[in-house]
Amino acid sequence: MSVQQEASFDGEALEVWIDQDLCTGDGICAQYAPEVFELDIDGLAYVKTADDQLLQDRGATTAVPLPLLTDVVDSAKECPGECIHVRRVSDKVEVYGPDVA
């Protein structure tokens, strides 16, 4: 997958982040999209980069790969902690997740 194959919403690149304060550690996200999400030793989920680097900083974001958009969105919908946020990169407006009206 090339770096250019990132998911978009209305033609804009998307990124995903997890609010670890709300994460319940159920691991549903890692089941849906293990290329994007991973549970760490603390039992919480974090996002990963395209080269599999775990991003443990609070609020860290990673690009949503186009082939995984459905899996990432399903993760956000099914997350019991409602802690997965998918937003446009350009203006940080959430397009999938608990803050979408």
Side-chain angles (χ1 to χ4, degrees):
M1 173 177 50
S2 77
V3 176
Q4 299 302 319
Q5 288 183 305
E6 294 175 359
S8 65
F9 184 86
D10 290 337
E12 297 195 41
L14 299 177
E15 62 188 2
V16 61
W17 69 281
I18 296 176
D19 183 343
Q20 279 80 23
D21 291 335
L22 299 176
C23 181
T24 59
D26 286 272
I28 291 171
C29 56
Q31 291 175 8
Y32 274 104
E35 302 89 348
V36 176
F37 305 106
E38 183 177 320
L39 292 176
D40 198 19
I41 194 166
D42 63 4
L44 301 177
Y46 295 87
V47 294
K48 301 190 302 186
T49 63
D51 61 357
D52 213 32
Q53 177 187 358
L54 193 63
L55 303 176
Q56 295 172 300
D57 293 335
R58 299 285 173 163
T61 64
T62 195
V64 177
L66 181 58
L68 299 175
L69 177 59
T70 300
D71 295 334
V72 170
V73 170
D74 288 345
S75 296
K77 289 179 181 177
E78 299 296 325
C79 177
E82 296 184 341
C83 64
I84 300 172
H85 304 266
V86 180
R87 63 188 181 193
R88 290 188 300 248
V89 172
S90 64
D91 59 8
K92 307 298 185 204
V93 170
E94 189 165 319
V95 293
Y96 302 106
D99 295 338
V100 175

